[in-house]
Amino acid sequence: MQEELIYISRQFANMFGFPVRIYNQNDLIFFHSTANLIADPIILCFDDIIKKTEQVSYYVYEDAFYYGIVNCEKYKFITGPVSEINLSLHEVNRLGFLLNIEDDDIPGFISAMKSLSGVHLDTLIQSIILYNFSVNRTMYNITDIRIKNSEQKSLSTDIKENEFSEISERFFMNNNRSYMIEKDMIKKVMNGDVEGLIDGATKIPSVSSGNLATHLLRHSKNFFIKLETIISRAAIEAGLNVDEVFSVEEMYIRKCESLNNIDRIKNLQYHMIIDYADRVKKFQKYNGKNSKLVNEISRYIKNHISEPIKTSDIADYFKKSRGSITTEFKKQTGMNLSDFIKVKKIQEAQELLCETSKSLVMISNYLGFSSQSHFTKVFKEITGITPKEYRENNYKLL
C-alpha cells in the first residue's frame, strides 16, 4: 500500500504541479514538489490539517492558501499550498519571514510560491477527487465536498420557520436606533475621527446586538465579527488597502475567537474600532487624497518593505530625479519622503509585534534596519515608545 501511494502521489505532483506529502499517523514518509519551496508552508497550519478525518476534504489557511486532503486507511495525503490569487511580493516576503527563510533564499522561495498561484479551489478539489478514486475507489462529485444538498434544504427550512418569529414593534425601534449609531460610527471611521469615537464610546454598547447565538459568549463573538465587518468595509471605502484591511480583519477575528472572557471581547471591540479609525487618519495624513503618485510610492514601499529603501531607489524606479520626486511628494503630503518610508516600516513593525512572537532583532533585520538600536530609535521617533513597550501595551490590551 505505501509503495503504491508514493507512486501515485509522485505522478499526481508531476501532473498537476502541486506539492504532495504522505503521512503515516503524524510522521512524514514522502514529500515531492516540482516547485522548490525551500521551507514547507504547511508547518504554519499542520496541527489543524492533521485533524481532518473526512476521506476527502480541503483546508483554507489565512484566506490565502488551499490544501487538499485524502485519508486512506492509516495514511494521509496532503497537497498544496495553492492559491486562487496572485500573491503580492509583500505577502510572499512576509510568509518567508514567518518561515525563517534566510534572505539569500527568499528570491527562490518567491519564485516557487508564485508558481503555485492562480489555481482555483474547484481545480484543487477535482484533482483530489481523482486521487481519492485511485486509492480508495470511492466516487465523489465536487458538490459532495463543497456543497451538501441536504444541508441547503435544511437551512432553507430553518430560515423560513424563524424569519419572522421574533419581530415586534420594539424590535424595529431598537434596530432603527442601532442603525443610526452604526451609521455614525462608520462616518467617524471613514473620516479618521479617533477623538469623536472616543467621545462617543458610551454609544457603542447601545448598538442592538440582536440574538446571534444561544450562549452569551458565542453571541458576543458573533456580534464582534458582525461589527468588525461593518467597520473594516468602512475603512476600505475610506481608501485603506484591501489586502491590509483583510489581514487586520483576520487578526482581530482570530484574537476574538481565542478569548473566553466577555469583558475582554468588549475591550477588543472598542480597541478594534479605534484602531481602524486611527489607520484611516494616518492614511489620510501620510498618503494624501486621490494622489496617484503617493499611492504608487506606498505600493512600492510595501513590496520592498524588507529592503533598506532610499529615496534614490524610489526615484530610479519611477524614472524621475531624486529632487523632483521628493519635492512633488512633499507638495502633496506635507511630509518628507524619507520620513514616509520610516512611517511605513514602523507600521509594518507594529503589526508584526502584535501578530507574531518574532524577536526584535528578527523584525529589525526583516525590515532592513542597520541594527536593532537603529530600529528602536526610529520606532520611538514615530510612535513615542519603544518596540518592547508597544508589544507589552498591546498584549495587555488584547
Side-chain angles (χ1 to χ4, degrees), residues 310-354:
K310 294 182 286 189
T311 54
S312 58
D313 297 328
I314 296 175
D316 290 343
Y317 178 81
F318 289 101
K319 296 181 172 57
K320 294 177 179 286
S321 69
R322 182 177 175 277
S324 66
I325 201 167
T326 54
T327 299
E328 180 63 22
F329 186 87
K330 185 160 187 178
K331 181 181 177 182
Q332 293 190 27
T333 66
M335 186 179 190
N336 291 327
L337 180 54
S338 57
D339 291 336
F340 183 72
I341 295 169
K342 291 179 185 177
V343 168
K344 287 296 181 183
K345 283 185 175 284
I346 296 308
Q347 286 176 349
E348 180 72 11
Q350 288 174 310
E351 290 190 21
L352 293 171
L353 287 165
C354 289

Short mmCIF file of all heavy atoms in Angstrom, two decimals, residues 310-354:
data_model
loop_
_atom_site.label_atom_id
_atom_site.label_comp_id
_atom_site.label_asym_id
_atom_site.label_seq_id
_atom_site.Cartn_x
_atom_site.Cartn_y
_atom_site.Cartn_z
N LYS A 310 15.91 53.64 -0.03
CA LYS A 310 16.37 55.03 -0.08
C LYS A 310 15.49 55.81 -1.06
O LYS A 310 14.89 55.24 -1.97
CB LYS A 310 17.83 55.09 -0.51
CG LYS A 310 18.79 54.45 0.50
CD LYS A 310 20.23 54.56 0.06
CE LYS A 310 20.53 53.60 -1.09
NZ LYS A 310 21.98 53.55 -1.40
N THR A 311 15.44 57.12 -0.87
CA THR A 311 14.64 57.95 -1.77
C THR A 311 15.15 57.83 -3.21
O THR A 311 14.37 57.91 -4.16
CB THR A 311 14.67 59.42 -1.33
OG1 THR A 311 16.03 59.85 -1.20
CG2 THR A 311 13.96 59.58 0.01
N SER A 312 16.46 57.63 -3.36
CA SER A 312 17.03 57.48 -4.71
C SER A 312 16.52 56.20 -5.37
O SER A 312 16.36 56.16 -6.60
CB SER A 312 18.56 57.49 -4.64
OG SER A 312 19.03 56.45 -3.79
N ASP A 313 16.27 55.16 -4.58
CA ASP A 313 15.72 53.91 -5.13
C ASP A 313 14.34 54.16 -5.73
O ASP A 313 14.02 53.67 -6.81
CB ASP A 313 15.62 52.83 -4.04
CG ASP A 313 16.96 52.44 -3.46
OD1 ASP A 313 17.95 52.49 -4.21
OD2 ASP A 313 17.02 52.09 -2.28
N ILE A 314 13.53 54.92 -5.00
CA ILE A 314 12.18 55.22 -5.47
C ILE A 314 12.23 56.10 -6.71
O ILE A 314 11.48 55.89 -7.68
CB ILE A 314 11.37 55.90 -4.34
CG1 ILE A 314 11.20 54.92 -3.17
CG2 ILE A 314 10.01 56.38 -4.85
CD1 ILE A 314 10.52 55.52 -1.96
N ALA A 315 13.13 57.08 -6.70
CA ALA A 315 13.28 57.96 -7.86
C ALA A 315 13.67 57.16 -9.09
O ALA A 315 13.13 57.35 -10.18
CB ALA A 315 14.32 59.04 -7.56
N ASP A 316 14.61 56.24 -8.93
CA ASP A 316 15.06 55.41 -10.05
C ASP A 316 13.92 54.55 -10.58
O ASP A 316 13.75 54.39 -11.80
CB ASP A 316 16.22 54.51 -9.62
CG ASP A 316 17.50 55.29 -9.36
OD1 ASP A 316 17.59 56.45 -9.81
OD2 ASP A 316 18.41 54.74 -8.70
N TYR A 317 13.11 53.99 -9.66
CA TYR A 317 12.01 53.12 -10.06
C TYR A 317 10.99 53.88 -10.91
O TYR A 317 10.47 53.35 -11.90
CB TYR A 317 11.34 52.53 -8.82
CG TYR A 317 10.16 51.64 -9.13
CD1 TYR A 317 10.35 50.32 -9.52
CD2 TYR A 317 8.85 52.13 -9.05
CE1 TYR A 317 9.27 49.49 -9.81
CE2 TYR A 317 7.77 51.32 -9.34
CZ TYR A 317 7.98 50.00 -9.72
OH TYR A 317 6.91 49.20 -10.02
N PHE A 318 10.71 55.13 -10.52
CA PHE A 318 9.72 55.92 -11.24
C PHE A 318 10.34 56.77 -12.36
O PHE A 318 9.66 57.61 -12.96
CB PHE A 318 8.95 56.82 -10.27
CG PHE A 318 8.01 56.06 -9.37
CD1 PHE A 318 8.36 55.78 -8.06
CD2 PHE A 318 6.80 55.59 -9.85
CE1 PHE A 318 7.51 55.07 -7.23
CE2 PHE A 318 5.93 54.89 -9.03
CZ PHE A 318 6.30 54.61 -7.72
N LYS A 319 11.66 56.54 -12.58
CA LYS A 319 12.37 57.25 -13.66
C LYS A 319 12.25 58.77 -13.52
O LYS A 319 11.97 59.50 -14.48
CB LYS A 319 11.87 56.79 -15.03
CG LYS A 319 12.14 55.32 -15.31
CD LYS A 319 11.64 54.91 -16.69
CE LYS A 319 12.08 53.51 -17.05
NZ LYS A 319 11.67 52.48 -16.11
N LYS A 320 12.44 59.23 -12.30
CA LYS A 320 12.44 60.66 -12.00
C LYS A 320 13.71 61.01 -11.26
O LYS A 320 14.38 60.13 -10.71
CB LYS A 320 11.23 61.03 -11.13
CG LYS A 320 9.87 60.86 -11.79
CD LYS A 320 8.76 61.20 -10.80
CE LYS A 320 7.38 61.06 -11.44
NZ LYS A 320 7.09 62.17 -12.38
N SER A 321 14.05 62.28 -11.23
CA SER A 321 15.20 62.70 -10.44
C SER A 321 14.82 62.67 -8.97
O SER A 321 13.65 62.83 -8.62
CB SER A 321 15.65 64.10 -10.84
OG SER A 321 14.69 65.06 -10.43
N ARG A 322 15.81 62.48 -8.12
CA ARG A 322 15.54 62.42 -6.69
C ARG A 322 14.92 63.73 -6.21
O ARG A 322 13.98 63.74 -5.40
CB ARG A 322 16.85 62.15 -5.93
CG ARG A 322 16.69 62.03 -4.42
CD ARG A 322 18.02 61.68 -3.76
NE ARG A 322 17.90 61.67 -2.32
CZ ARG A 322 17.97 62.76 -1.56
NH1 ARG A 322 18.15 63.95 -2.13
NH2 ARG A 322 17.86 62.67 -0.24
N GLY A 323 15.42 64.85 -6.72
CA GLY A 323 14.91 66.15 -6.30
C GLY A 323 13.47 66.37 -6.69
O GLY A 323 12.66 66.85 -5.89
N SER A 324 13.11 65.97 -7.92
CA SER A 324 11.74 66.22 -8.39
C SER A 324 10.72 65.37 -7.65
O SER A 324 9.63 65.84 -7.29
CB SER A 324 11.64 65.98 -9.90
OG SER A 324 11.84 64.60 -10.19
N ILE A 325 11.06 64.09 -7.38
CA ILE A 325 10.08 63.22 -6.73
C ILE A 325 9.90 63.58 -5.26
O ILE A 325 8.78 63.52 -4.73
CB ILE A 325 10.45 61.73 -6.90
CG1 ILE A 325 9.19 60.87 -6.69
CG2 ILE A 325 11.57 61.30 -5.94
CD1 ILE A 325 9.36 59.43 -7.15
N THR A 326 10.98 63.98 -4.60
CA THR A 326 10.84 64.37 -3.18
C THR A 326 10.10 65.69 -3.05
O THR A 326 9.31 65.88 -2.12
CB THR A 326 12.22 64.47 -2.50
OG1 THR A 326 13.07 65.36 -3.27
CG2 THR A 326 12.89 63.11 -2.40
N THR A 327 10.33 66.59 -3.99
CA THR A 327 9.62 67.88 -3.96
C THR A 327 8.13 67.69 -4.20
O THR A 327 7.29 68.25 -3.49
CB THR A 327 10.20 68.83 -5.03
OG1 THR A 327 11.59 69.06 -4.76
CG2 THR A 327 9.45 70.16 -5.02
N GLU A 328 7.79 66.87 -5.21
CA GLU A 328 6.39 66.61 -5.53
C GLU A 328 5.69 65.88 -4.38
O GLU A 328 4.53 66.19 -4.05
CB GLU A 328 6.28 65.78 -6.82
CG GLU A 328 4.86 65.46 -7.25
CD GLU A 328 4.04 66.69 -7.59
OE1 GLU A 328 4.65 67.75 -7.89
OE2 GLU A 328 2.81 66.61 -7.55
N PHE A 329 6.41 64.94 -3.77
CA PHE A 329 5.83 64.19 -2.66
C PHE A 329 5.51 65.11 -1.49
O PHE A 329 4.42 65.04 -0.90
CB PHE A 329 6.78 63.07 -2.21
CG PHE A 329 6.21 62.17 -1.16
CD1 PHE A 329 5.44 61.06 -1.51
CD2 PHE A 329 6.40 62.43 0.18
CE1 PHE A 329 4.89 60.24 -0.54
CE2 PHE A 329 5.85 61.60 1.16
CZ PHE A 329 5.10 60.51 0.79
N LYS A 330 6.44 65.99 -1.15
CA LYS A 330 6.22 66.89 -0.02
C LYS A 330 5.12 67.89 -0.34
O LYS A 330 4.32 68.27 0.54
CB LYS A 330 7.50 67.62 0.35
CG LYS A 330 7.33 68.47 1.60
CD LYS A 330 8.64 68.81 2.25
CE LYS A 330 8.39 69.51 3.60
NZ LYS A 330 9.66 69.82 4.30
N LYS A 331 5.02 68.28 -1.60
CA LYS A 331 3.97 69.21 -2.00
C LYS A 331 2.59 68.59 -1.79
O LYS A 331 1.65 69.27 -1.37
CB LYS A 331 4.17 69.59 -3.47
CG LYS A 331 3.15 70.58 -4.00
CD LYS A 331 3.41 70.88 -5.47
CE LYS A 331 2.35 71.82 -6.04
NZ LYS A 331 2.58 72.09 -7.49
N GLN A 332 2.48 67.31 -2.07
CA GLN A 332 1.19 66.64 -1.96
C GLN A 332 0.85 66.21 -0.54
O GLN A 332 -0.33 66.13 -0.18
CB GLN A 332 1.16 65.41 -2.88
CG GLN A 332 1.19 65.75 -4.36
CD GLN A 332 0.91 64.55 -5.23
OE1 GLN A 332 0.23 63.60 -4.83
NE2 GLN A 332 1.42 64.58 -6.46
N THR A 333 1.86 65.88 0.26
CA THR A 333 1.60 65.33 1.59
C THR A 333 2.04 66.22 2.74
O THR A 333 1.62 66.01 3.88
CB THR A 333 2.30 63.97 1.75
OG1 THR A 333 3.72 64.16 1.72
CG2 THR A 333 1.89 63.00 0.65
N GLY A 334 2.92 67.17 2.45
CA GLY A 334 3.49 67.98 3.53
C GLY A 334 4.52 67.23 4.35
O GLY A 334 4.88 67.65 5.45
N MET A 335 5.00 66.14 3.82
CA MET A 335 5.90 65.25 4.57
C MET A 335 7.10 64.88 3.70
O MET A 335 6.99 64.72 2.49
CB MET A 335 5.13 63.98 4.96
CG MET A 335 5.87 63.03 5.84
SD MET A 335 4.81 61.61 6.22
CE MET A 335 5.79 60.83 7.48
N ASN A 336 8.26 64.75 4.33
CA ASN A 336 9.45 64.31 3.61
C ASN A 336 9.31 62.85 3.22
O ASN A 336 8.82 62.03 4.01
CB ASN A 336 10.70 64.49 4.46
CG ASN A 336 11.05 65.96 4.67
OD1 ASN A 336 10.82 66.78 3.79
ND2 ASN A 336 11.58 66.29 5.84
N LEU A 337 9.77 62.50 2.02
CA LEU A 337 9.67 61.12 1.55
C LEU A 337 10.45 60.17 2.45
O LEU A 337 10.00 59.04 2.72
CB LEU A 337 10.18 61.02 0.10
CG LEU A 337 10.14 59.64 -0.55
CD1 LEU A 337 8.74 59.02 -0.45
CD2 LEU A 337 10.59 59.73 -2.00
N SER A 338 11.60 60.61 2.93
CA SER A 338 12.40 59.76 3.81
C SER A 338 11.66 59.44 5.11
O SER A 338 11.73 58.32 5.63
CB SER A 338 13.75 60.43 4.13
OG SER A 338 13.53 61.71 4.72
N ASP A 339 10.91 60.42 5.61
CA ASP A 339 10.12 60.18 6.83
C ASP A 339 8.95 59.23 6.54
O ASP A 339 8.57 58.41 7.38
CB ASP A 339 9.58 61.49 7.39
CG ASP A 339 10.68 62.38 7.95
OD1 ASP A 339 11.73 61.84 8.34
OD2 ASP A 339 10.49 63.61 7.99
N PHE A 340 8.38 59.36 5.35
CA PHE A 340 7.27 58.50 4.95
C PHE A 340 7.72 57.04 4.90
O PHE A 340 6.98 56.14 5.31
CB PHE A 340 6.76 58.94 3.57
CG PHE A 340 5.57 58.17 3.08
CD1 PHE A 340 4.31 58.35 3.64
CD2 PHE A 340 5.69 57.26 2.04
CE1 PHE A 340 3.20 57.65 3.18
CE2 PHE A 340 4.60 56.55 1.57
CZ PHE A 340 3.35 56.75 2.14
N ILE A 341 8.93 56.80 4.39
CA ILE A 341 9.48 55.44 4.35
C ILE A 341 9.58 54.88 5.77
O ILE A 341 9.21 53.74 6.04
CB ILE A 341 10.86 55.43 3.67
CG1 ILE A 341 10.73 55.83 2.20
CG2 ILE A 341 11.51 54.05 3.79
CD1 ILE A 341 12.07 56.10 1.51
N LYS A 342 10.06 55.71 6.70
CA LYS A 342 10.17 55.28 8.10
C LYS A 342 8.80 54.92 8.67
O LYS A 342 8.65 53.90 9.36
CB LYS A 342 10.79 56.39 8.94
CG LYS A 342 12.25 56.69 8.66
CD LYS A 342 12.73 57.83 9.54
CE LYS A 342 14.14 58.24 9.23
NZ LYS A 342 14.58 59.40 10.05
N VAL A 343 7.81 55.77 8.39
CA VAL A 343 6.46 55.53 8.91
C VAL A 343 5.92 54.19 8.42
O VAL A 343 5.35 53.40 9.19
CB VAL A 343 5.51 56.68 8.50
CG1 VAL A 343 4.05 56.29 8.77
CG2 VAL A 343 5.85 57.95 9.26
N LYS A 344 6.08 53.91 7.13
CA LYS A 344 5.58 52.67 6.56
C LYS A 344 6.26 51.46 7.17
O LYS A 344 5.63 50.43 7.44
CB LYS A 344 5.76 52.67 5.03
CG LYS A 344 4.80 53.60 4.31
CD LYS A 344 3.36 53.15 4.51
CE LYS A 344 2.37 54.01 3.79
NZ LYS A 344 0.97 53.61 4.05
N LYS A 345 7.56 51.56 7.39
CA LYS A 345 8.29 50.44 8.01
C LYS A 345 7.85 50.23 9.45
O LYS A 345 7.68 49.09 9.91
CB LYS A 345 9.80 50.69 7.94
CG LYS A 345 10.41 50.42 6.56
CD LYS A 345 11.91 50.57 6.57
CE LYS A 345 12.51 50.18 5.22
NZ LYS A 345 12.54 48.72 5.03
N ILE A 346 7.62 51.31 10.16
CA ILE A 346 7.19 51.19 11.56
C ILE A 346 5.77 50.67 11.65
O ILE A 346 5.43 49.89 12.56
CB ILE A 346 7.34 52.54 12.29
CG1 ILE A 346 8.81 52.96 12.35
CG2 ILE A 346 6.76 52.45 13.70
CD1 ILE A 346 9.76 51.89 12.90
N GLN A 347 4.90 51.04 10.71
CA GLN A 347 3.55 50.48 10.68
C GLN A 347 3.60 48.97 10.48
O GLN A 347 2.85 48.22 11.11
CB GLN A 347 2.72 51.14 9.57
CG GLN A 347 2.31 52.57 9.89
CD GLN A 347 1.57 53.23 8.73
OE1 GLN A 347 1.54 52.72 7.62
NE2 GLN A 347 0.99 54.40 8.99
N GLU A 348 4.48 48.52 9.60
CA GLU A 348 4.66 47.07 9.41
C GLU A 348 5.20 46.43 10.68
O GLU A 348 4.76 45.34 11.08
CB GLU A 348 5.61 46.82 8.24
CG GLU A 348 5.87 45.35 7.94
CD GLU A 348 4.69 44.64 7.31
OE1 GLU A 348 3.72 45.33 6.90
OE2 GLU A 348 4.72 43.40 7.22
N ALA A 349 6.14 47.11 11.34
CA ALA A 349 6.71 46.59 12.59
C ALA A 349 5.62 46.45 13.65
O ALA A 349 5.59 45.47 14.41
CB ALA A 349 7.82 47.52 13.08
N GLN A 350 4.71 47.42 13.72
CA GLN A 350 3.64 47.36 14.72
C GLN A 350 2.77 46.11 14.51
O GLN A 350 2.39 45.45 15.49
CB GLN A 350 2.78 48.63 14.62
CG GLN A 350 3.48 49.87 15.15
CD GLN A 350 2.65 51.13 14.91
OE1 GLN A 350 2.19 51.38 13.80
NE2 GLN A 350 2.48 51.93 15.94
N GLU A 351 2.47 45.80 13.27
CA GLU A 351 1.67 44.60 13.00
C GLU A 351 2.42 43.35 13.40
O GLU A 351 1.85 42.43 14.00
CB GLU A 351 1.29 44.55 11.52
CG GLU A 351 0.29 45.61 11.12
CD GLU A 351 -0.26 45.39 9.71
OE1 GLU A 351 -0.16 44.25 9.23
OE2 GLU A 351 -0.77 46.35 9.12
N LEU A 352 3.70 43.28 13.07
CA LEU A 352 4.50 42.10 13.41
C LEU A 352 4.65 41.94 14.92
O LEU A 352 4.65 40.82 15.43
CB LEU A 352 5.88 42.18 12.75
CG LEU A 352 5.88 42.09 11.21
CD1 LEU A 352 7.27 42.41 10.66
CD2 LEU A 352 5.44 40.71 10.75
N LEU A 353 4.77 43.04 15.62
CA LEU A 353 4.89 42.99 17.08
C LEU A 353 3.61 42.46 17.72
O LEU A 353 3.67 41.75 18.74
CB LEU A 353 5.22 44.37 17.64
CG LEU A 353 6.64 44.89 17.39
CD1 LEU A 353 6.73 46.38 17.67
CD2 LEU A 353 7.66 44.13 18.23
N CYS A 354 2.45 42.79 17.12
CA CYS A 354 1.17 42.34 17.66
C CYS A 354 0.83 40.91 17.23
O CYS A 354 0.27 40.15 18.00
CB CYS A 354 0.05 43.27 17.22
SG CYS A 354 0.09 44.89 18.01
#
